[in-house]
């Protein structure tokens, strides 16, 4: 990748950080974004920097083994590395702290996935949204807990912590996290207004079939 392309990539990552911060998904120094240029270079947002004020030159660089090549990478890099190890297709990973998605895991501790049968959006966009069990911050367990869900799931909620989305490019990962939080917000409103109801079985089946057709044509994409 040329120096120009690297510089543009860092600027795009900064732009996404600012957008996520505006949408209340990155308080203070929360969250991290990474992009794999090659096995030798994974660019990742730095540790302890407020994403609202981050500059392109703050980005750190690691390799697939987790060796630090430049800067001070996020302490949550184990999750990013696990995604890249699970799929050659993975180029971008976004981890943020979307409040509505997290609130579902706090209020419903036994929930294994978001109740996506309530509406069509998430079924069509990504098929399902599993909830990954809680792990202590900064531990290897954060990455290990993702294993049962990779590479199948590109959109995941991390119990009592946040969400993690990945994709073939930055915009796919960004779409995943926006779609997830928007849907979690709708479900929260429905819950507060009296309860979440689900579509009937024939409609759910029809939606799952449409999703399968999308995957056949476009691969396992997040819309
Ligand atoms: Zn986090």
């Amino acid at each position: 990748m040329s120096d120009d392309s690297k510089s543009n990539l860092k600027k795009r990552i900064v732009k996404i950080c600012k957008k996520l911060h505006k949408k209340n998904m990155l308080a203070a120094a929360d969250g991290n974004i990474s992009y794999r240029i090659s096995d030798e270079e994974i660019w990742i947002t730095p540790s302890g920097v407020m994403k609202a004020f981050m500059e392109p030159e703050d980005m750190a660089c690691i390799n697939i083994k987790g060796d630090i090549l430049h800067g001070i990478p996020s302490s949550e890099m184990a999750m990013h590395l696990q995604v890249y190890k699970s799929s050659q297709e993975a180029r971008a990973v976004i981890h943020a702290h979307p409040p509505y998605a997290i609130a579902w895991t706090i209020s419903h501790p036994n929930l294994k996935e978001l109740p996506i049968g309530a509406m069509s959006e998430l079924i069509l966009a990504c098929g399902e949204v599993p909830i990954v069990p809680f792990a202590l911050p900064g531990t290897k367990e954060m990455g290990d807990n993702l294993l049962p869900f990779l590479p199948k799931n590109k959109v995941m909620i991390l119990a009592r912590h946040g969400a993690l989305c990945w994709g073939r490019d930055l915009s796919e990962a960004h779409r995943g996290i926006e779609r997830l939080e928007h849907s979690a917000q709708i479900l929260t409103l429905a819950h507060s207004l009296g309860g979440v109801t689900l579509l009937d079985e024939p409609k759910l089946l029809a939606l799952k079939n449409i999703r399968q057709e999308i995957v056949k044509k476009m691969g396992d994409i997040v819309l």
Side-chain angles (χ1 to χ4, degrees):
M1 189 181 255
S2 69
D3 284 351
D4 258 10
S5 310
K6 276 185 194 171
S7 164
N8 282 337
L9 175 69
K10 288 182 201 173
K11 281 183 197 155
R12 279 195 67 204
I13 290 174
V14 168
K15 212 170 168 183
I16 293 174
C17 283
K18 290 189 197 305
K19 278 184 194 284
L20 293 175
H21 175 261
K22 250 190 184 165
K23 292 212 161 193
N24 197 29
M25 291 198 245
L26 293 175
D30 286 351
N32 22 78
I33 298 181
S34 68
Y35 189 90
R36 171 162 67 180
I37 296 170
S38 67
D39 276 357
E40 292 313 311
E41 269 185 276
I42 297 165
W43 286 91
I44 185 163
T45 49
S47 174
V49 174
M50 285 181 78
K51 303 300 175 300
F53 304 107
M54 203 185 101
E55 300 289 346
E57 55 270 25
D58 293 333
M59 291 288 293
C61 190
I62 56 175
N63 66 17
I64 196 78
K65 289 182 279 182
D67 301 324
I68 298 169
L69 307 177
H70 172 79
I72 305 166
S74 162
S75 59
E76 296 179 316
M77 67 177 177
M79 295 192 294
H80 295 251
L81 291 173
Q82 200 63 266
V83 173
Y84 294 125
K85 281 175 193 162
S86 78
S87 171
Q88 269 303 318
E89 194 193 31
R91 305 293 284 188
V93 179
I94 298 182
H95 161 57
H97 292 186
Y100 289 96
I102 298 168
W104 272 89
T105 70
I106 296 170
S107 61
H108 296 71
N110 297 320
L111 207 60
K112 298 278 181 259
E113 60 177 309
L114 207 61
I116 56 168
M119 52 189 176
S120 55
E121 277 181 11
L122 280 174
I123 300 175
L124 295 180
C126 58
E128 60 181 16
V129 180
I131 297 171
V132 179
F134 178 79
L136 287 171
T139 59
K140 185 179 164 287
E141 196 187 359
M142 290 182 93
D144 294 345
N145 283 4
L146 294 175
L147 273 173
F149 306 97
L150 293 171
K152 183 170 179 271
N153 296 104
K154 288 182 164 176
V155 178
M156 294 166 272
I157 301 178
L158 312 174
R160 299 177 188 272
H161 173 193
L164 186 128
C165 300
W166 64 273
R168 287 175 245 180
D169 52 32
L170 277 168
S171 49
E172 185 177 16
H174 192 190
R175 284 198 300 276
I177 210 124
E178 279 215 348
R179 173 71 63 207
L180 165 62
E181 179 63 347
H182 186 247
S183 303
Q185 187 172 8
I186 294 169
L187 290 170
T188 307
L189 286 171
H191 194 258
S192 69
L193 288 169
V196 171
T197 59
L198 302 181
L199 287 158
D200 61 35
E201 277 302 322
K203 289 194 182 67
L204 283 176
L205 194 63
L207 286 164
K208 284 174 188 166
N209 286 338
I210 297 171
R211 172 71 195 169
Q212 272 180 7
E213 286 305 311
I214 293 168
V215 172
K216 256 190 229 162
K217 274 186 208 146
M218 306 172 75
D220 200 358
I221 192 172
V222 178
L223 296 174

